[in-house]
Amino acid sequence: MACLIVMDGPFKGQKTTLNQTMTRIGRRDTNDWSIQDESVSGTHCEIEKDDSGFILRDLGSTNGTKVNNEEIKERRIFRNDILLIGEVPVMVEGDDVPEAADNEPFSLTRTTIVIQKNTPKSTPKEFTKKTNSNKVWITLIVLLLFVIGALAVLLFQKL
């Protein structure tokens, strides 16, 4: 059965089947599939089922609809395509969804990786500070000041 599965974010794993002739997707509860994300328009897009597969249409959404990272107004979709509905990544799955022809420029394999936009950045271990050189310098300066002070005391005692 053809279905759409959210790949990432707070709705990860949310799923809907494409068992109707027309499936409307948007933020409003009146849609066939309601995605409550602020990047999704009230009625964002629709997927029409025909004899040869599925056609995705953007319905004038504010944040647009993309298929495999290409902004679309209308486009045929295939198994394993990644749809971006607003900012919500969705994968097309199902045995009854046709696979993209070899000449399709954006056909993806099953091992598609979705990269998050807001990944936390951390410094690699190779670039982190490994020594406490500041403590060594402070110790040397304190020791040097102590020696200078001791020499000054000895010098003033002789005078």
Side-chain angles (χ1 to χ4, degrees):
M1 170 81 34
C3 66
L4 301 175
I5 299 175
V6 178
M7 300 301 296
D8 199 18
F11 307 103
K12 184 176 183 176
Q14 195 179 84
K15 179 179 182 178
T16 191
T17 56
L18 300 174
N19 54 5
Q20 301 176 35
T21 307
M22 184 71 69
T23 303
R24 289 225 167 168
I25 302 168
R27 200 171 60 238
R28 289 190 192 108
D29 292 333
T30 55
N31 290 296
D32 300 306
W33 190 26
S34 177
I35 302 174
Q36 296 300 316
D37 185 89
E38 61 187 36
S39 69
V40 177
S41 293
T43 304
H44 195 98
C45 60
E46 65 185 13
I47 297 177
E48 181 181 359
K49 182 178 182 179
D50 63 16
D51 293 336
S52 58
F54 298 89
I55 298 172
L56 172 66
R57 282 186 203 90
D58 182 81
L59 298 174
S61 64
T62 303
N63 293 315
T65 304
K66 293 182 179 181
V67 176
N68 301 325
N69 214 24
E70 177 185 319
E71 188 134 355
I72 61 102
K73 293 298 177 199
E74 180 176 307
R75 175 158 170 192
R76 188 160 294 281
I77 56 175
F78 301 96
R79 187 179 322 153
N80 300 326
D81 278 349
I82 300 294
L83 314 181
L84 201 58
I85 301 170
E87 293 178 6
V88 179
V90 176
M91 180 180 267
V92 181
E93 290 191 350
D95 292 335
D96 56 341
V97 180
E99 290 187 22
D102 289 338
N103 59 358
E104 265 300 309
F106 293 105
S107 62
L108 300 176
T109 64
R110 189 66 155 145
T111 55
T112 301
I113 298 172
V114 177
I115 299 173
Q116 292 179 328
K117 279 170 59 172
N118 299 326
T119 56
K121 293 177 175 60
S122 61
T123 306
K125 255 192 337 188
E126 298 81 35
F127 298 109
T128 57
K129 195 174 187 180
K130 292 185 171 107
T131 63
N132 290 327
S133 62
N134 287 346
K135 289 181 183 178
V136 172
W137 281 108
I138 291 171
T139 304
L140 285 174
I141 290 171
V142 168
L143 192 61
L144 184 63
L145 287 174
F146 180 74
V147 169
I148 291 172
L151 288 173
V153 168
L154 286 173
L155 186 69
F156 283 117
Q157 281 181 356
K158 289 187 179 185
L159 293 176

